[in-house]
């Protein structure tokens, strides 16, 4: 359940912005999570509801944008879609590919007041 | 507040906004609830990454090869480490940070094997983080010019995401586990640099297809180094020890490169930053 740690990271990052950006309440948080990231989205949503209590984001909604898994296949010399880290290339069936997207864990944007 | 990182004791400190508003943004708004959007584009683990970078700087400064050992519970990490430090302690400094939810049993086993060790009890936590490692180093002298082993909590999921400042993650799998673990926990095997297949002395007694396991591991990480050994019998230990000696050698080279870069920068400041004037003062 490292989703709790991730949520603490999210709340810390938001709290660090309050002074600098001058807001008193967070209404919405947009996250970008890669489809292959080591995160269980339901657990993340659950953890966020717990961790946000008594913080500036106590009533914040969580919006999760899933980013697709993408890789560069060395055999095919082109970008391919991958669903899992152990998927073969859909074009050549090989495993000689390097992940180029899909493991992101980012706080994209906040809506504040 | 701690001196290492300015953290509070256990709870995160939310600083009250009671200082003079000397920055540019208006604090009194015309209407109470104007909403706006702020673009952050910040990694969720940015804070951990900051602590990891500090740890890594420290390791490079002191010529320490730091390794993050990860596995399921019961893969034989502590037995492997005990045997490893028993051999290497006569060659260069070694030390161990152990992470477990409870007890100091592992650290006691390592100390009995002859190396300094501290235990981090994570309580309900399922992984070590870079901040905790920084604090553990207040209790453990860095093995300068040697190897620091960080034995993570037995868990193949969560520790994959938390950079501790290590040079490499070493994932340990034993033949008493399922051979498809690299597929079941692909993030960890993708994050590791070396995989150790442990307890090979038990292969005659278990149904474990080594070739299939290695194939699965390489599907997830085609650059993964793989070694097979038995910490109990000592079979296969030598290639692992050689891997460590090479890594320690590289860490020393990195330290020398850093020192030379620092020295060059200091010389450059002396020449371009008014060094000649200071000399006349003296």
């Amino acid at each position: 359940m490292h989703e709790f740690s991730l949520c603490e990271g999210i709340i810390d990052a938001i709290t660090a912005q309050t002074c600098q950006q001058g807001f008193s309440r967070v209404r919405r948080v947009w996250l970008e999570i890669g489809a292959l990231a080591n995160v269980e989205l339901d657990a993340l949503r659950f953890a966020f509801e717990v961790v946000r209590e008594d913080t500036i984001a106590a009533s914040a909604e969580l919006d999760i944008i899933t980013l697709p898994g993408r890789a560069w296949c060395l055999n095919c010399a082109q970008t391919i879609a991958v669903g899992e880290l152990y998927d073969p290339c859909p074009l050549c069936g090989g495993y000689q590919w390097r992940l180029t997207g899909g493991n992101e864990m980012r706080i994209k944007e906040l809506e504040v007041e | 507040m701690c001196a290492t990182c300015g953290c509070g004791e256990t709870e995160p400190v939310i600083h009250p906004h009671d200082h003079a508003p000397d920055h540019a943004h208006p604090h009194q708004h015309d209407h109470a609830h104007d909403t706006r959007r702020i673009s952050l584009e910040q990694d969720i683990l940015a804070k951990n990454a900051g602590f990891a970078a500090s740890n890594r700087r420290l390791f490079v400064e002191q010529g320490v090869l730091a390794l993050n050992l990860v596995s399921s519970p019961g893969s034989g990490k502590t037995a492997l480490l005990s045997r490893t430090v028993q051999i290497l302690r006569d060659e260069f400094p070694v030390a161990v940070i152990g992470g477990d939810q409870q007890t100091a049993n592992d650290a006691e086993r390592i100390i009995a094997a002859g190396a300094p060790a501290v235990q981090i009890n994570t309580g309900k936590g399922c992984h070590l983080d870079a901040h905790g490692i920084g604090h553990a180093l207040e209790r453990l002298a860095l093995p300068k010019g040697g190897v620091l082993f960080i034995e993570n909590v037995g868990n193949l999921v969560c520790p994959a995401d938390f950079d501790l400042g290590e040079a490499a993650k070493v994932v340990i799998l034993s033949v008493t586990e399922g051979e498809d673990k690299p597929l079941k926990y692909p993030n960890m095997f993708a994050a590791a640099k070396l995989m150790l297949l442990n307890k090979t002395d038990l292969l005659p007694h278990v149904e474990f297809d080594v070739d299939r396991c290695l194939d699965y591991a390489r599907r997830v990480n085609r650059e993964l180094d793989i070694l097979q050994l038995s910490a109990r019998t000592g079979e296969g230990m030598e290639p692992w020890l050689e891997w460590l000696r090479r890594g320690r050698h590289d860490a020393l080279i990195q330290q020398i490169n850093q020192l030379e870069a620092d020295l060059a920068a200091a010389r450059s400041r002396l020449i371009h930053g008014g060094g000649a004037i200071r000399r006349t003062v003296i």
Side-chain angles (χ1 to χ4, degrees):
Chain A
M1 282 297 276
H2 68 307
E3 283 77 6
F4 273 94
S5 298
L6 298 180
C7 286
E8 283 166 2
I10 294 166
I11 295 295
D12 281 350
I14 293 173
T15 307
Q17 294 290 321
T18 53
C19 192
Q20 210 179 342
Q21 303 270 4
F23 55 85
S24 57
R25 193 162 88 94
V26 181
R27 293 168 62 105
R28 191 171 286 272
V29 180
W30 282 270
L31 303 181
E32 283 180 328
I33 306 288
L36 282 74
N38 198 17
V39 182
E40 187 54 46
L41 294 186
D42 285 341
L44 190 72
R45 288 192 187 93
F46 172 72
F48 186 76
E49 286 188 12
V50 175
V51 175
R52 71 181 177 175
E53 277 180 30
D54 300 323
T55 74
I56 196 158
S59 58
E61 298 288 327
L62 193 62
D63 258 354
I64 299 176
I65 302 159
T66 304
L67 302 178
R70 278 173 291 108
W72 178 259
C73 178
L74 297 174
N75 288 333
C76 305
Q78 60 175 292
T79 295
I80 55 166
V82 287
E84 299 289 349
L85 287 170
Y86 48 81
D87 273 353
C89 168
L91 304 176
C92 69
Y95 295 93
Q96 301 290 306
W97 50 258
R98 195 180 290 274
L99 200 68
T100 53
N103 58 355
E104 301 84 352
M105 292 197 286
R106 261 199 312 260
I107 311 166
K108 180 177 167 57
E109 213 172 355
L110 306 177
E111 187 179 78
V112 299
E113 62 180 42
Chain B
M1 184 181 282
C2 85
T4 308
C5 56
C7 70
E9 282 176 359
T10 51
E11 295 300 314
V13 178
I14 298 169
H15 298 285
H17 201 167
D18 55 0
H19 56 269
D22 54 353
H23 33 268
H25 68 78
H27 273 239
Q28 264 131 39
H29 302 281
D30 294 336
H31 40 275
H33 297 295
D34 58 337
T35 61
R36 64 198 159 92
R37 285 192 175 197
I38 298 171
S39 174
L40 269 192
E41 298 291 347
Q42 183 180 324
D43 196 298
I44 291 175
L45 289 167
K47 195 172 169 186
N48 185 71
F51 287 122
S54 309
N55 294 346
R56 189 165 280 120
R57 261 195 306 278
L58 186 66
F59 299 145
V60 170
E61 270 171 27
Q62 304 291 334
V64 171
L65 171 68
L67 298 173
N68 183 357
L69 277 69
V70 291
S71 78
S72 307
S75 66
K77 279 196 300 297
T78 311
L80 174 69
L81 274 182
S82 298
R83 189 155 193 139
T84 302
V85 302
Q86 263 170 12
I87 299 168
L88 292 182
R89 67 181 176 174
D90 296 328
E91 298 181 27
F92 44 75
V94 288
V96 177
I97 297 175
D100 266 317
Q101 281 200 309
Q102 298 296 344
T103 83
N105 294 354
D106 284 2
E108 285 162 12
R109 284 171 68 189
I110 298 295
I111 290 165
V118 293
Q119 190 84 28
I120 300 177
N121 283 135
T122 57
K124 292 185 176 59
C126 50
H127 58 269
L128 295 176
D129 61 27
H131 179 238
I133 296 300
H135 280 301
L137 292 175
E138 294 166 357
R139 296 185 282 136
L140 179 79
L142 263 186
K144 294 179 186 178
V147 182
L148 173 68
F149 297 97
I150 304 170
E151 185 183 348
N152 218 312
V153 179
N155 175 353
L156 280 177
V157 184
C158 313
D161 284 337
F162 289 82
D163 181 7
L164 307 179
E166 73 271 8
K169 284 188 177 68
V170 177
V171 62
I172 299 153
L173 182 64
S174 64
V175 302
T176 53
E177 303 170 53
E179 65 216 1
D180 55 353
K181 274 204 171 161
L183 299 188
K184 285 181 171 168
Y185 303 97
N187 294 79
M188 185 62 90
F189 288 83
K193 195 169 177 194
L194 172 68
M195 168 178 147
L196 296 177
L197 186 62
N198 192 18
K199 305 189 188 178
T200 51
D201 56 307
L202 296 178
L203 275 172
H205 312 289
V206 293
E207 281 186 28
F208 186 95
D209 187 331
V210 173
D211 289 340
R212 186 174 290 175
C213 177
L214 304 194
D215 175 51
Y216 288 157
R218 292 213 166 92
R219 278 190 204 179
V220 174
N221 182 348
R222 66 196 174 85
E223 286 161 5
L224 189 65
D225 292 332
I226 301 175
L227 297 173
Q228 302 178 43
L229 53 78
S230 162
R232 195 175 71 85
T233 65
E235 184 194 0
M237 280 292 286
E238 196 48 40
W240 157 238
L241 297 172
E242 267 311 301
W243 190 91
L244 291 170
R245 291 181 188 116
R246 270 202 312 277
R248 180 232 173 199
H249 178 263
D250 292 346
L252 291 176
I253 300 276
Q254 210 181 349
Q255 179 191 25
I256 290 167
N257 290 342
Q258 183 63 54
L259 286 169
E260 283 178 344
D262 290 348
L263 190 62
R267 287 212 170 103
S268 168
R269 280 194 295 275
L270 184 67
I271 293 164
H272 302 295
I277 297 169
R278 290 225 179 109
R279 214 171 295 146
T280 57
V281 172
I282 292 164

